[in-house]
Amino acid sequence: MLTISQLAAYAGVTVRAVRHYHQIGLLPEPERNRSGYRTYDAVAVVRLIRIRTLADAGVPLGRVQELLDAGPEEFARGVQEMDKDLRAEIRRLQGTRRRLARLAAGEQLALPPSVVDYLDRLRGLGVEEGYIEMERDAWIMIAAQVPHSIDSVIAKKHEELDDPDVVKLYGLLSGALDWPPNDPRIVEVADIMERLMIRAVEAGEVGADDGVDDQFVDLLDSTMVESSPVAARLLAILEERGWRGWTRIERVAADRINTELPPS
């Protein structure tokens, strides 16, 4: 007969582990002998080795009892189920590692790769970092609202960057945050934006369902207005010309479509 220390040594575990297995019911706790000690036999050694082997293989202790009591077929099914769960957990952890690796750059926090690529393209066009940070924060909120369609939205934004007017607009807006409200370049920005709006109306893109509610649109617009006095002045000029909004453009004067605009 073996003492608890000898049992632990034969099975390759600690005495503390043996006591824990007693507490959770995995290893039956023998009665004390006349001297007041608990003694163990070969059956206990074999069972403890099996417990240790399953635990070392990664089997949760909550499932060890089930496998210990299972027949060959049940044991095989149980192991297959745990392997399936383990593979799913590995995929989840791999995804977590990929997301953590992308956190090296600030805008990659809470942003899908498509938006990060778009912001990098703006950098390539020479857009200043201050403006990119403001746009990044807006895209973080938008991506959270329309996660399933954000990639298609960004694909459309990439197409727009092939338009010289859009590139010129970004070039102007890049430094506009520090302009005074009476800077004459604000009118130039308004002219470009109006040309783009008219094209959007003609293409049937204005008024389309964008998947976000009015309250969220108001939040984005107010954030833009608060970013710089230039933004408020620009929106005022556009409203005078019959346009309203920044995130979701609305045409409020039909005859503006036929208005002659300054040449690009």
Side-chain angles (χ1 to χ4, degrees):
M1 303 298 285
L2 304 173
T3 65
I4 191 171
S5 297
Q6 292 170 322
L7 170 69
Y10 278 126
V13 300
T14 64
V15 171
R16 183 177 180 181
V18 174
R19 291 190 173 121
H20 179 64
Y21 295 150
H22 284 328
Q23 290 176 354
I24 63 177
L26 282 181
L27 183 68
E29 190 171 8
E31 297 293 332
R32 297 182 183 275
N33 59 21
R34 293 177 181 177
S35 301
Y37 295 101
R38 300 188 190 280
T39 57
Y40 301 85
D41 56 16
V43 173
V45 176
V46 171
R47 184 174 179 87
L48 184 55
I49 291 173
R50 294 182 68 195
I51 293 171
R52 187 209 68 200
T53 301
L54 290 170
D56 288 349
V59 176
L61 290 181
R63 299 201 64 178
V64 167
Q65 183 71 55
E66 170 191 338
L67 294 182
L68 286 174
D69 297 339
E73 292 184 1
E74 291 177 313
F75 184 91
R77 281 198 301 270
V79 170
Q80 289 172 355
E81 289 175 3
M82 283 185 287
D83 181 64
K84 180 180 178 181
D85 293 342
L86 183 60
R87 283 185 277 117
E89 179 66 8
I90 289 172
R91 288 193 296 270
R92 186 189 69 79
L93 291 173
Q94 288 173 335
T96 298
R97 288 194 66 204
R98 287 193 294 270
R99 288 191 293 273
L100 288 173
R102 291 198 299 265
L103 296 183
E107 69 262 10
Q108 293 178 342
L109 179 62
L111 275 180
S114 61
V115 179
V116 175
D117 290 343
Y118 177 71
L119 295 177
D120 284 342
R121 186 174 176 187
L122 293 184
R123 288 189 178 93
L125 294 173
V127 177
E128 294 180 0
E129 200 63 31
Y131 184 84
I132 287 178
E133 289 177 1
M134 183 178 68
E135 185 149 324
R136 176 203 65 199
D137 290 347
W139 283 118
I140 287 175
M141 292 188 288
I142 293 171
Q145 292 294 311
V146 289
H148 302 299
S149 60
I150 187 64
D151 288 347
S152 61
V153 172
I154 291 298
K156 176 63 177 174
K157 296 294 291 183
H158 276 292
E159 291 177 8
E160 292 173 358
L161 284 179
D162 294 330
D163 186 330
D165 262 343
V166 175
V167 174
K168 186 176 182 180
L169 177 63
Y170 266 114
L172 288 167
L173 289 176
S174 176
L177 297 177
D178 298 323
W179 293 351
N182 60 348
D183 193 301
R185 288 173 293 182
I186 298 176
V187 176
E188 184 179 3
V189 171
D191 291 341
I192 296 173
M193 290 188 64
E194 188 169 16
R195 283 198 297 270
L196 294 172
M197 291 174 188
I198 289 175
R199 291 175 203 165
V201 169
E202 292 173 342
E205 296 172 353
V206 172
D209 184 14
D210 51 19
V212 296
D213 58 39
D214 293 342
Q215 185 176 6
F216 182 67
V217 170
D218 290 341
L219 173 63
L220 291 176
D221 283 0
S222 63
T223 300
M224 180 62 188
V225 170
E226 292 167 3
S227 66
S228 169
V230 171
R233 174 64 179 144
L234 178 58
L235 291 178
I237 292 173
L238 290 171
E239 188 161 352
E240 289 172 2
R241 298 182 180 188
W243 303 94
R244 182 169 53 237
W246 180 270
T247 306
R248 181 189 292 148
I249 305 299
E250 294 179 322
R251 178 182 169 214
V252 293
D255 59 351
R256 286 302 303 172
I257 288 295
N258 299 318
T259 300
E260 184 177 346
L261 295 172
S264 57

